[in-house]
Amino acid sequence: MEELHKTLKDRDLTVPTVHGKGRSLFTTRDFYPGEVIISQEPYVCVSTQKRCDGCFRTTNLSKCSRCQVVWYCGTPCQKSAWRLHRLECEALSRLDDHKRKSVTPSIRLMLKLYLRRKLQNDKIIPSTAMDNYKLVDALVAHMSDITEEQLVLYAQMANLVHLILQWPEINIKEIAEIFSKFACNAHTICDGELRPLGTGLYPVVSIINHSCLPNSVLVFEGRMASVRALQHLPKGTEVLISYIETAGSTVTRQKALKEQYLFTCVCPLCSKVLVLKGQYDDVRENAILEGYRCKNETCDGFLLRTTDGKAFQCQECGLIKDKEEIKKIATEIKLLSEEASSADYQEAISIYKMIEKLQTKLYHPLSIYLLQTRETILKSLMKLEHWREALAYCKLTIPIYQRVYPAVHPLLGLQYYTCGKLEWYLEDTEEAVISLTKAVDILRITHGTNTPFVKELLMMLEEARAELTYKSSSKEE
């Protein structure tokens, strides 16, 4: 670990052990918004869909003729992966067709981890301070905190890995423990628009702790993980990212963190609620995000359960909403949701619009449940190329995005981008320039300006500005 500390010191970072948190990443100089704090290639990674195993592309794919499991987009990616895949291919080829179909991305991630460790131990591929198995070994597994059901699942997966590798020197317990490390430490690799591509293990990035009010963001450039500062980080600041979707109540966030990462968050946003239970601002915010709306449609109040538990009362105007009324609408929404899950896009849109109508009666206008339904409708409309209606729904989501996310957040930036792209396509050039400018202001910080996605966005903005200038000059003439 001394080599890692030295390498990080050269990058103006340090890794002290903090009581209650364990290893943590701190700055030793000031970092500024958009600046890369740390980058790392994965120790191992896999695609979670039919993609090239080297670059995650989906075009010109050919399956490995021997193992019939792994895909490549061409000779360069196949050659670069060959030293590791040669061993993986040999192991997978020994399986019958039935067992080969049981090889999930998680199983492949484990296979690749053991094979990479072997290749590094045998000096066939190099190790560095930020690329060695000792870093994986140092990750926390939380074995004592996981459920019996999860232990059984890990044991079953470990048995399959043991069967595939046929290495007597590794045991089931060790493999199961590493699966537990994956659950707590692996990251979902996404493209510039935050669409999932695969899973990767980044042992140094995994040192970074969580906060529901993060000062940094993790994004990916291909397989490379980059952590960028969202704000000015003075010397001596702990680098913090968010492990989860933060749009939701404290209870929802805490539940997600406990189930996936096995800890209770004590960040400023959570500890304020934990210490000061019932504080008005927090109760109000949580009730707006996940609670019910007032019966009076002109009232912006939030509802809390009455003392007898039989109804909900608006905290603004005092109107009572009956519990049975809420239950009836909620049941209708649940039934429609089940129906929509098996419908095609066109039919699903109609069903989700019915759900939206019911949700506007049930939930607060800024509810995240309403946001999720409108997002689903938006995506379906875009797939069907119903651009004008898609734009209308995109605009409906923006106020909720602005409320649930900080001013600099990649999801807010991407929503402005979607809005601007639709406006420009529909020749609402003036509005497109406004939306795309807002997108650039955020995404140049969260993503940087050298990624293909942001370069394309900058070009789009310049073209929209040029088009707007031309239109303005034409009107003057």
Side-chain angles (χ1 to χ4, degrees):
M1 287 300 165
E2 284 184 19
E3 287 184 11
L4 176 64
H5 284 283
K6 186 178 182 304
T7 299
L8 292 178
K9 184 181 178 183
D10 293 341
R11 300 183 186 202
D12 305 306
L13 298 164
T14 184
V15 184
T17 298
V18 178
H19 178 69
K21 284 186 170 185
R23 294 183 303 161
S24 308
L25 190 68
F26 279 75
T27 65
T28 58
R29 69 163 173 87
D30 287 19
F31 282 83
Y32 295 91
E35 192 174 355
V36 174
I37 299 167
I38 190 167
S39 293
Q40 185 181 24
E41 288 282 355
Y43 187 74
V44 283
C45 70
V46 291
S47 64
T48 48
Q49 304 159 36
K50 182 182 170 182
R51 294 181 179 277
C52 173
D53 206 54
C55 65
F56 291 171
R57 286 197 185 97
T58 56
T59 52
N60 303 317
L61 296 179
S62 298
K63 192 182 281 187
C64 174
S65 58
R66 187 180 180 196
C67 72
Q68 294 291 305
V69 172
V70 182
W71 297 83
Y72 293 104
C73 68
T75 304
C77 280
Q78 192 168 13
K79 278 186 175 179
S80 67
W82 178 240
R83 281 183 295 183
L84 195 150
H85 182 61
R86 180 178 63 83
L87 300 179
E88 182 190 25
C89 189
E90 185 181 310
L92 293 174
S93 299
R94 291 195 293 263
L95 301 176
D96 58 39
D97 289 343
H98 175 70
K99 283 196 172 64
R100 209 173 293 180
K101 287 175 182 175
S102 302
V103 179
T104 62
S106 295
I107 298 292
R108 281 201 61 219
L109 197 67
M110 184 65 73
L111 292 173
K112 292 177 85 168
L113 182 136
Y114 272 105
L115 295 171
R116 185 171 178 80
R117 184 179 77 171
K118 176 178 169 54
L119 290 170
Q120 286 185 327
N121 287 344
D122 294 345
K123 311 295 184 186
I124 294 171
I125 60 174
S127 299
T128 67
M130 289 182 62
D131 178 19
N132 64 79
Y133 184 76
K134 288 180 183 177
L135 299 173
V136 178
D137 205 32
L139 296 174
V140 179
H142 291 288
M143 286 295 282
S144 60
D145 299 321
I146 63 177
T147 64
E148 187 70 29
E149 185 183 6
Q150 199 66 48
L151 274 171
V152 170
L153 177 61
Y154 289 157
Q156 290 170 341
M157 293 164 71
N159 266 310
L160 180 55
V161 171
H162 199 267
L163 173 73
I164 295 169
L165 288 176
Q166 297 181 10
W167 292 358
E169 66 271 24
I170 61 170
N171 59 67
I172 303 297
K173 185 180 177 183
E174 178 190 283
I175 303 171
E177 187 171 320
I178 299 172
F179 271 123
S180 188
K181 288 182 180 182
F182 284 173
C184 301
N185 296 283
H187 289 93
T188 301
I189 301 169
C190 299
D191 66 8
E193 295 184 59
L194 303 188
R195 294 174 297 208
L197 304 176
T199 302
L201 191 64
Y202 299 83
V204 180
V205 171
S206 292
I207 294 170
I208 300 172
N209 287 315
H210 163 85
S211 173
C212 298
L213 288 172
N215 55 29
S216 309
V217 64
L218 171 63
V219 292
F220 296 88
E221 298 168 28
R223 304 185 337 168
M224 173 80 79
S226 294
V227 178
R228 293 179 180 272
L230 292 174
Q231 60 200 55
H232 173 219
L233 305 185
K235 177 181 176 180
T237 300
E238 183 180 2
V239 179
L240 298 164
I241 61 174
S242 175
Y243 293 178
I244 58 164
E245 167 61 79
T246 55
S249 68
T250 301
V251 171
T252 298
R253 295 194 313 274
Q254 290 282 1
K255 185 173 182 286
L257 289 166
K258 195 69 176 174
E259 288 178 354
Q260 176 68 40
Y261 299 99
L262 307 170
F263 71 89
T264 299
C265 182
V266 291
C267 75
L269 189 62
C270 290
S271 58
K272 183 168 67 172
V273 178
L274 293 172
V275 175
L276 302 170
K277 284 185 180 178
Q279 189 177 39
Y280 180 84
D281 288 345
D282 298 310
V283 171
R284 181 178 185 276
E285 188 65 15
N286 293 342
I288 286 171
L289 292 176
E290 298 181 7
Y292 306 118
R293 72 169 301 156
C294 181
K295 285 181 76 170
N296 179 358
E297 293 186 5
T298 63
C299 178
D300 195 35
F302 65 99
L303 275 60
L304 293 180
R305 196 184 293 269
T306 55
T307 51
D308 61 10
K310 294 180 179 178
F312 289 82
Q313 185 171 26
C314 178
Q315 303 303 294
E316 191 73 28
C317 69
L319 275 178
I320 299 288
K321 199 164 192 174
D322 186 65
K323 190 177 175 181
E324 287 305 312
E325 180 188 346
I326 289 172
K327 189 177 178 181
K328 183 186 174 187
I329 299 174
T331 301
E332 287 182 62
I333 290 170
K334 185 182 177 184
L335 291 171
L336 285 169
S337 298
E338 290 169 359
E339 188 181 337
S341 63
S342 58
D344 60 31
Y345 283 120
Q346 189 65 60
E347 189 182 354
I349 289 172
S350 299
I351 297 169
Y352 277 114
K353 283 181 179 178
M354 287 171 13
I355 292 171
E356 179 197 19
K357 190 174 181 180
L358 288 169
Q359 286 180 329
T360 55
K361 294 179 182 178
L362 183 63
Y363 298 122
H364 193 280
L366 296 172
S367 163
I368 57 170
Y369 301 125
L370 191 54
L371 171 65
Q372 290 162 0
T373 299
R374 285 173 174 164
E375 272 290 347
T376 302
I377 295 170
L378 167 60
K379 287 172 184 173
S380 296
L381 287 168
M382 290 184 72
K383 284 184 187 297
L384 293 172
E385 300 184 0
H386 296 175
W387 307 123
R388 180 64 68 183
E389 195 177 1
L391 175 59
Y393 269 93
C394 192
K395 286 183 174 180
L396 281 174
T397 67
I398 293 288
I400 312 180
Y401 269 80
Q402 290 170 329
R403 184 183 182 91
V404 298
Y405 296 115
V408 179
H409 192 286
L411 288 175
L412 177 59
L414 288 169
Q415 205 67 357
Y416 283 132
Y417 163 71
T418 301
C419 202
K421 191 167 59 169
L422 288 166
E423 286 164 337
W424 192 32
Y425 184 81
L426 293 165
E427 299 184 357
D428 299 338
T429 315
E430 190 172 348
E431 292 297 314
V433 169
I434 293 169
S435 297
L436 292 173
T437 300
K438 288 177 179 177
V440 166
D441 288 345
I442 295 171
L443 297 175
R444 75 193 317 161
I445 294 173
T446 62
H447 287 55
T449 53
N450 292 321
T451 60
F453 170 67
V454 176
K455 283 180 178 177
E456 186 182 318
L457 169 58
L458 288 165
M459 192 179 299
M460 188 185 296
L461 176 58
E462 286 307 308
E463 288 180 25
R465 282 174 173 163
E467 188 177 298
L468 182 61
T469 302
Y470 173 77
K471 283 182 176 180
S472 300
S473 59
S474 297
K475 283 180 182 178
E476 289 173 6
E477 291 174 7

